[in-house]
C-alpha cells in the first residue's frame, strides 16, 4: 500500500503491503473464492437468505462460465413507437433501449476513496418530465452521487464539504425546479395545458460564458455567473428546442417568507437559445408582448432577470471574477502533484488518531500479512491479498469496507456482470483508500514521531 521507506522505524515483520492485490481483471478469472480466509460465519449471511452463496463454491464473488453471448436478456417491444425520441441519462448520453445496465449509476453510489463520512444514496424524483419516456420524470442524484461527481471534477476544497452535501443537493434540486418553472413560462406561449413539453437532455457548461452573460459583464458591469446549463426540450410534436440558463450568486440581503434575512440568493436567467428563427421570434417579440398584455391570445407573468445590476450586486463583481478564475483552472485539470515531496499538512490531533489505527491494523492483520508473505502461487496470493485488503480497510477505511461487504452480500435481482462490476469497483476504492491513509501515516510519522512511539 505504501513505500516502506516512507514509514521509518517500522520493523520488518510489521510492514503491511498489498502489492500483490490483483488487478480488476484478475479478481474475476478465478472460480475459487478469494475470500475464504476472511469471511467469518458471523459476517456471511445464510444460504437461505443469499442465493449467490453457491454451496459448490461458497464464493461471494460469482464469475461467469459462459463464453461469449450478451449478458443482458433482450426482449421484443412490439408497442414501441418509432416517433418516440431517444432517452438520455444524466450525462447527456443516449440510452440504448436494448442495454440499460445501470453499471455507471451503481458505481457512482459507492463511497469515494477519499471519503470519511457516510453519505445517503437515496435519490429524489423531480417534477420534470423526462423526454423519451411515456410518463417518467427525471431523478436527482443522491448526495453520494453528487459527492463523487464533485470529486471527479476536482471541485472538493476540503473534507468538511462532506458534511454539507445533503444541503448542497437540496439546493441543487430546488434550483432545477425553479429553472423548470421558468422554462414552462416561456413554453406556455407555444403549448396548451395538455401538451406539456419534456426535458430531453441537459449539459453543464460552467466554463463557457454565454453571449448574454459576457455582454452584461463587459458592458453593464454585471457579476459573472457561477454556472451555466443548456437544457434541450422536446415538445409534443417532436420539435426540440434548446434553452440557455445562467446562474448568478447574489449576497444582497433579502427577507424570506418568514421575514428572516437571507443573504444567499440564486438568480436564474432563463431564455431560449437563438438557434432557430422561431426561437428568435419567441424571445425578442412574442414574450415581450405577452408580458405587457399586448397579445390577444395569451399573456405571461414571466419576470426576466434585469440586464442592469443593482448597486449592491455590482459590488459583488470582484468575487464573481475570483470564482470564474477558479472555474477556468479546474477546466485545465488538477495540477500535477509530486507525491514524493508534497503531502497536505496534517494537524497533530489527526496524526495521533492515525497512529492508533495504524497500530491496530498491525496487530489485527498479522495473520493476513503472514499469508501474503508465505503465498506460493497466484491462487494463494490472490486470496491472501484480498483478505489483507479487507482486514486493513475494516480498520483504516470503514466506509469503503462496508461498501465491499454490501456488494458481496447483495441480493438484488441483477445479472452477474453487473454484480462483479460493482464488487470490483468497491474493492478498487477500498484499496485506493488504504494507500491514501498510509501516505498520511508516513507523513505523520516523519513530522510527529512522538505520536508513534
Amino acid at each position: 500500500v505504501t513505500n516502506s521507506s516512507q514509514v521509518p522505524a517500522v520493523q520488518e515483520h510489521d510492514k503491511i503491503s498489498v502489492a500483490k492485490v490483483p488487478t480488476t481483471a484478475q479478481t474475476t478469472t478465478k472460480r475459487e473464492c478469494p475470500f475464504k480466509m476472511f469471511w467469518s460465519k458471523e459476517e456471511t449471511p445464510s444460504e437461505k437468505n443469499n442465493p449467490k452463496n453457491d454451496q459448490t463454491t461458497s464464493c461471494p464473488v460469482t464469475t461467469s462460465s459462459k463464453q461469449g453471448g450478451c449478458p443482458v436478456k433482450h426482449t421484443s417491444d412490439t408497442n414501441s413507437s418509432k416517433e418516440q425520441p431517444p432517452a438520455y441519462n444524466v450525462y447527456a448520453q443516449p440510452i440504448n433501449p436494448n442495454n440499460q445496465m445501470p453499471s455507471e449509476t451503481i458505481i457512482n453510489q459507492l463511497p469515494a476513496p477519499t471519503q470519511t463520512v457516510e453519505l445517503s444514496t437515496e435519490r429524489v424524483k423531480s417534477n420534470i418530465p423526462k423526454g423519451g419516456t411515456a410518463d417518467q420524470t427525471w431523478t436527482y442524484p443522491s448526495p453520494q452521487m453528487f459527492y463523487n461527481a464533485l470529486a471527479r471534477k476536482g471541485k472538493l476544497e476540503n473534507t468538511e464539504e462532506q458534511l454539507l452535501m445533503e444541503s448542497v443537493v437540496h439546493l441543487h434540486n430546488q434550483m432545477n425546479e425553479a429553472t423548470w418553472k421558468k422554462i414552462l413560462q416561456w413554453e406556455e406561449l407555444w403549448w396548451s395545458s395538455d401538451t406539456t413539453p419534456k426535458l430531453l437532455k441537459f449539459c453543464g457548461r460552467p466554463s463557457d460564458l454565454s453571449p448574454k452573460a459576457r455582454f452584461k459583464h463587459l458592458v453593464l458591469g454585471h457579476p459573472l455567473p457561477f454556472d451555466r446549463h443548456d437544457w434541450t426540450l422536446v415538445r409534443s410534436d417532436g420539435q426540440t428546442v434548446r434553452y440557455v440558463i445562467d446562474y448568478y450568486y447574489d449576497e444582497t440581503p433579502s427577507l424570506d417568507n418568514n421575514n428572516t434575512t437571507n443573504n444567499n440568493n440564486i438568480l436564474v436567467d432563463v431564455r431560449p437559445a437563438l438557434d432557430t428563427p422561431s426561437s428568435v421570434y419567441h424571445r425578442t417579440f412574442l414574450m415581450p408582448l405577452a408580458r405587457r398584455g399586448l397579445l390577444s391570445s395569451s399573456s405571461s407573468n414571466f419576470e426576466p432577470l434585469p440586464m442592469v445590476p443593482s448597486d449592491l450586486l455590482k459590488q459583488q463583481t470582484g468575487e464573481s471574477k475570483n470564482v470564474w478564475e477558479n472555474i477556468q483552472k479546474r477546466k485545465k485539470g488538477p495540477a500535477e502533484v509530486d507525491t514524493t515531496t508534497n503531502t497536505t499538512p496534517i494537524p497533530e490531533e489527526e496524526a495521533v488518531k492515525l497512529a492508533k489505527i495504524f497500530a491496530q491494523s498491525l496487530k489485527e492483520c498479522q495473520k493476513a500479512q503472514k499469508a501474503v508473505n508465505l503465498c506460493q502461487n497466484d491462487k494463494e496470493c490472490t486470496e491472501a491479498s484480498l483478505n489483507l485488503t479487507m482486514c486493513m480497510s475494516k480498520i483504516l477505511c470503514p466506509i469503503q469496507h462496508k461498501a465491499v461487504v454490501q456488494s458481496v452480500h447483495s441480493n438484488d435481482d441483477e445479472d452477474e456482470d453487473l454484480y462483479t462490476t460493482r464488487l470490483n469497483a468497491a474493492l478498487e476504492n477500498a484499496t485506493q483508500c488504504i494507500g491514501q491513509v498510509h501516505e498520511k501515516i508516513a507523513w505523520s510519522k516523519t513530522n510527529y514521531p512522538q505520536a508513534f512511539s
Side-chain angles (χ1 to χ4, degrees):
V1 170
T2 182
N3 189 333
S4 58
S5 63
Q6 293 178 314
V7 188
V10 179
Q11 300 301 320
E12 185 68 26
H13 68 277
D14 286 340
K15 292 179 182 177
I16 291 185
S17 171
V18 290
K20 298 181 181 180
V21 171
T23 63
T24 300
Q26 289 175 309
T27 62
T28 60
T29 57
K30 300 288 186 180
R31 182 63 177 173
E32 293 79 4
C33 177
F35 288 91
K36 287 188 293 186
M37 173 178 161
F38 175 78
W39 297 105
S40 63
K41 294 181 179 180
E42 291 76 17
E43 290 181 297
T44 305
S46 65
E47 299 292 335
K48 179 179 180 180
N49 294 329
N50 189 354
K52 285 191 173 65
N53 283 345
D54 188 347
Q55 292 182 357
T56 60
T57 61
S58 300
C59 183
V61 184
T62 56
T63 54
S64 176
S65 59
K66 297 180 181 179
Q67 300 298 327
C70 181
V72 181
K73 295 181 179 180
H74 296 271
T75 58
S76 60
D77 186 1
T78 58
N79 297 323
S80 60
S81 172
K82 294 182 180 179
E83 298 180 357
Q84 186 82 306
Y88 290 80
N89 61 20
V90 294
Y91 307 104
Q93 300 166 333
I95 297 175
N96 181 355
N98 294 324
N99 183 12
Q100 299 197 46
M101 182 185 298
S103 58
E104 200 68 32
T105 301
I106 293 293
I107 293 174
N108 285 334
Q109 290 280 42
L110 297 172
T114 56
Q115 191 173 323
T116 57
V117 177
E118 192 167 3
L119 297 174
S120 170
T121 58
E122 181 181 357
R123 303 184 66 183
V124 177
K125 282 189 173 296
S126 73
N127 294 311
I128 305 175
K130 186 172 185 178
T133 67
D135 54 3
Q136 296 181 25
T137 60
W138 285 90
T139 304
Y140 289 123
S142 67
Q144 181 63 70
M145 296 173 71
F146 206 91
Y147 177 86
N148 287 340
L150 294 178
R152 285 194 303 271
K153 297 175 182 178
K155 292 184 178 181
L156 293 175
E157 301 294 338
N158 52 63
T159 56
E160 293 180 359
E161 293 186 2
Q162 300 174 53
L163 303 176
L164 303 175
M165 202 51 55
E166 298 275 355
S167 299
V168 171
V169 170
H170 179 69
L171 178 61
H172 167 269
N173 297 351
Q174 283 189 324
M175 193 168 67
N176 282 329
E177 294 291 337
T179 299
W180 181 247
K181 290 180 180 179
K182 287 185 174 293
I183 287 178
L184 291 184
Q185 289 181 310
W186 280 94
E187 288 293 300
E188 283 174 351
L189 301 181
W190 288 92
W191 53 272
S192 59
S193 59
D194 59 342
T195 57
T196 306
K198 298 180 179 181
L199 176 60
L200 184 62
K201 59 181 178 179
F202 56 90
C203 178
R205 301 176 60 183
S207 59
D208 298 330
L209 269 184
S210 66
K212 181 178 180 180
R214 188 182 301 276
F215 174 82
K216 289 170 64 175
H217 175 68
L218 295 178
V219 178
L220 305 177
H222 198 288
L224 291 164
F226 69 85
D227 200 2
R228 169 189 170 178
H229 284 186
D230 284 14
W231 289 19
T232 300
L233 275 61
V234 58
R235 292 171 176 158
S236 58
D237 59 359
Q239 178 187 5
T240 59
V241 58
R242 181 171 65 98
Y243 277 80
V244 179
I245 306 104
D246 290 319
Y247 297 98
Y248 297 88
Y249 189 68
D250 182 15
E251 295 181 350
T252 304
S254 61
L255 295 179
D256 58 20
N257 295 333
N258 298 321
N259 290 327
T260 302
T261 301
N262 182 10
N263 293 321
N264 300 318
N265 299 313
I266 303 296
L267 305 179
V268 185
D269 190 355
V270 181
R271 68 275 185 193
L274 302 179
D275 295 334
T276 63
S278 63
S279 292
V280 174
Y281 172 75
H282 192 182
R283 179 169 162 180
T284 61
F285 181 76
L286 192 62
M287 176 57 83
L289 292 180
R291 288 184 55 242
R292 292 167 175 81
L294 299 178
L295 292 179
S296 58
S297 58
S298 60
S299 61
S300 176
N301 58 359
F302 176 78
E303 288 292 337
L305 195 66
M307 290 287 291
V308 180
S310 65
D311 292 338
L312 290 176
L313 195 57
K314 280 186 177 181
Q315 297 175 10
Q316 302 170 37
T317 302
E319 179 63 24
S320 73
K321 288 182 179 179
N322 294 334
V323 173
W324 177 253
E325 290 174 359
N326 289 332
I327 292 174
Q328 297 305 309
K329 290 179 182 178
R330 295 193 190 108
K331 180 182 179 181
K332 298 178 182 178
E336 293 186 1
V337 178
D338 184 0
T339 56
T340 61
T341 59
N342 192 330
T343 302
T344 303
I346 296 172
E348 185 173 4
E349 181 180 357
E350 183 178 351
V352 172
K353 293 180 180 179
L354 288 171
K356 290 181 179 179
I357 62 173
F358 178 58
Q360 182 184 356
S361 67
L362 293 178
K363 179 180 179 181
E364 297 186 12
C365 298
Q366 285 184 358
K367 184 178 179 181
Q369 176 64 62
K370 185 176 180 180
V372 171
N373 295 338
L374 299 179
C375 65
Q376 299 296 322
N377 52 55
D378 288 344
K379 175 185 174 183
E380 289 183 2
C381 291
T382 296
E383 179 180 326
S385 296
L386 284 171
N387 280 292
L388 179 57
T389 300
M390 293 301 297
C391 180
M392 295 178 62
S393 64
K394 187 175 183 179
I395 301 169
L396 304 179
C397 305
I399 295 177
Q400 290 73 14
H401 173 273
K402 181 179 178 180
V404 176
V405 174
Q406 290 176 338
S407 297
V408 170
H409 295 165
S410 171
N411 289 326
D412 296 341
D413 294 330
E414 59 189 29
D415 66 73
E416 192 170 319
D417 284 350
L418 181 57
Y419 176 83
T420 305
T421 297
R422 172 169 51 190
L423 179 58
N424 283 332
L427 275 170
E428 178 66 22
N429 289 348
T431 303
Q432 290 184 25
C433 176
I434 294 171
Q436 292 169 2
V437 172
H438 269 264
E439 289 179 0
K440 293 182 179 180
I441 291 173
W443 189 92
S444 299
K445 196 172 184 67
T446 300
N447 292 272
Y448 304 106
Q450 68 279 6
F452 291 81
S453 58

